[in-house]
Amino acid sequence: MGSSTLINADRLWTRLMALAEIGATPAGGVNRQALSDGEIAAWRRVIGWAREAGLTPSTDAAGNLFLTLAGRDRDAAPLLLGSHLDSQPTGGKFDGAAGVMAALEAAVSLAEQSDRPARDVIVVAWMNEEGSRFAPGMMGSEAFTGERGMDAIRAARDADGISVGEALDRLHQAFPDMPPRPLGFAVGSYLELHIEQGPLLEAAACTIGVVTGIQGKKTFQVVVEGAEGHAGTLAQQERRDALAAFARMAAALHAEIGTVDADIKFTIGRVAVAPNAPSVVPSRVSFSIDLRHPDNAVLDAAGVRIAALCQENASPCTVTVTPLVDAPSNAFDARLRASIAEAARGQGHSAMDILSAAGHDARHLAKICPAAMIFIPCRDGASHVEHEWAEPNHVAAGASVLAQVLRGLAFAPAIEG
């Protein structure tokens, strides 16, 4: 594994692998979903490492974890860096976790090697980035930036009927001595390291991705309502078969929305059928739609057509289409991007500009402060899978670039917005 004077690469990798033990799956992945026992255990481990280096933990009403290295001017807008600790049900060791651990390593190394920074440096782990247990995702960063209210967030429920509010209360009860923070505060800059979750860096044999922005995303929840009936006695022409209506909708959506152009990404990712019995005509189907495109005009036009196509194919059933996420494409801060590229070149790493095809918490932070992301390659571009993998030297390279950019900001007399 490579080493750097800016970070301790061996410590970073050891801690990242130790974190992966929490929620480890037999196939080598991680199941550590939002606000679960696994995430509570991950908090304990990460907080322990942070405290060893003199960082102070705190949290807010949205269940975001903050680890603060105190600066000389406690009133100056702090530097924020991190990602998330939650995973998909069959996720990998790196998605989210690599960003938190790289941020922690950059902050810990800064504390060990340098004078006190000019302002606070805060490592953050955002609540429920993935949206796998509770939908939609990115609840913590949306609450922090005022994009979504806490009442709506707390009301969301998982498949077992547990609300985010109940799970948040349980999280906070597990850390009774954790100091609270206000929900949302001024931020000087935000940095996030992440695996690419795509194949472009690996294909280009490139170590550092300087992320230009994130493609836009819309999500919808669709509910088709029909009527139950006996599969052996109800005549075909009398049926209000919700699954048949769903099949027509899915075919129409894929045929029109899924073929808009080469950059469109259209997914029906979750389908639930009721009563889901072999000899009963289905009375209800609920399904999710995930729509992404880098051009906001194309994204908006495709989004408008979704409800219309569902309505056109619903009869004799009824359909309700509920928008969940509406996140336009965004661009990251040009000066921070230049700093990332300069740090990569100075450290001898290959670097390239890259658009993020996946969504990240940085999307929301970019609305309130200068923000930027660093990508590192992942094997075969695979993510949200148990065999997700990033090479140790790539993790170290990304963290070292992050650390250098952080230091440039941490000792600056002022942060220009």
Side-chain angles (χ1 to χ4, degrees):
M1 190 189 309
S3 61
S4 167
T5 56
L6 293 174
I7 63 162
N8 183 327
D10 291 321
R11 176 173 62 191
L12 169 59
W13 184 260
T14 299
R15 287 179 170 178
L16 184 56
M17 291 302 102
L19 188 62
E21 295 171 0
I22 301 173
T25 65
V30 172
N31 179 8
R32 190 173 56 232
Q33 296 184 62
L35 304 176
S36 64
D37 288 344
E39 190 168 35
I40 289 172
W43 269 40
R44 293 194 191 283
R45 188 161 293 184
V46 172
I47 288 168
W49 291 326
R51 279 185 164 140
E52 288 174 11
L55 277 66
T56 304
S58 58
T59 188
D60 62 14
N64 297 311
L65 174 63
F66 303 99
L67 307 165
T68 301
L69 173 62
R72 293 191 301 275
D73 184 355
R74 301 304 307 276
D75 295 324
L79 305 174
L80 207 57
L81 64 163
S83 192
H84 60 96
L85 292 171
D86 66 312
S87 80
Q88 290 288 326
T90 53
K93 298 179 175 72
F94 301 90
D95 178 3
V100 175
M101 299 315 297
L104 180 63
E105 179 57 38
V108 167
S109 293
L110 183 67
E112 291 173 341
Q113 302 172 10
S114 305
D115 294 331
R116 195 175 181 187
R119 57 192 53 74
D120 287 0
V121 171
I122 303 178
V123 176
V124 60
W126 301 110
M127 188 272 285
N128 188 35
E129 192 272 355
E130 293 291 359
S132 57
R133 181 185 178 192
F134 301 106
M138 301 190 208
M139 286 181 174
S141 56
E142 284 196 332
F144 183 88
T145 57
E147 292 284 314
R148 191 177 297 271
M150 281 306 302
D151 287 345
I153 287 173
R154 288 181 63 89
R157 294 183 180 273
D158 66 11
D160 296 322
I162 299 170
S163 70
V164 173
E166 292 165 343
L168 274 173
D169 293 345
R170 187 167 174 268
L171 171 78
H172 289 137
Q173 288 163 9
F175 298 91
D177 300 324
M178 178 86 73
R181 289 190 77 104
L183 182 59
F185 49 83
V187 178
S189 294
Y190 176 71
L191 299 169
E192 181 169 354
L193 176 143
H194 210 279
I195 58 171
E196 179 196 344
Q197 300 182 287
L200 301 182
L201 289 176
E202 185 180 61
C206 189
T207 301
I208 300 295
V210 182
V211 184
T212 57
I214 299 176
Q215 73 173 341
K217 175 182 179 180
K218 295 179 185 287
T219 67
F220 304 83
Q221 183 67 30
V222 185
V223 178
V224 186
E225 297 281 2
E228 290 182 24
H230 192 296
T233 62
L234 186 61
Q236 207 72 26
Q237 67 271 20
E238 296 176 6
R239 296 184 178 195
R240 293 175 56 216
D241 187 331
L243 186 61
F246 161 71
R248 291 191 298 272
M249 293 175 199
L253 288 163
H254 277 285
E256 180 175 327
I257 307 298
T259 61
V260 166
D261 63 21
D263 291 326
I264 199 77
K265 301 291 190 300
F266 173 82
T267 305
I268 296 175
R270 176 184 289 173
V271 181
V273 181
N276 203 26
S279 298
V280 181
V281 176
S283 61
R284 189 177 193 270
V285 174
S286 62
F287 64 100
S288 65
I289 292 175
D290 183 305
L291 177 69
R292 309 189 196 211
H293 198 282
D295 186 319
N296 287 324
V298 176
L299 181 70
D300 289 342
V304 168
R305 285 294 293 153
I306 283 175
L309 286 168
C310 289
Q311 292 289 352
E312 290 167 14
N313 291 277
S315 182
C317 299
T318 61
V319 65
T320 304
V321 180
T322 304
L324 297 178
V325 171
D326 186 3
S329 294
N330 73 283
F332 286 127
D333 184 77
R335 282 170 290 185
L336 289 179
R337 284 158 49 189
S339 296
I340 292 167
E342 181 181 2
R345 286 194 300 269
Q347 294 181 22
H349 304 305
S350 54
M352 61 183 270
D353 285 348
I354 187 170
L355 176 72
S356 176
H360 301 283
D361 293 302
R363 180 203 296 279
H364 300 297
L365 274 294
K367 299 170 186 174
I368 66 165
C369 70
M373 292 191 72
I374 298 167
F375 274 177
I376 58 173
C378 54
R379 183 188 295 162
D380 299 327
S383 183
H384 287 188
V385 293
E386 291 171 287
H387 61 273
E388 174 184 277
W389 183 256
E391 294 298 331
N393 61 313
H394 290 156
V395 174
S400 184
V401 169
L402 176 69
Q404 184 170 331
V405 176
L406 172 64
R407 290 181 188 214
L409 297 168
F411 297 101
I415 300 174
E416 299 179 5

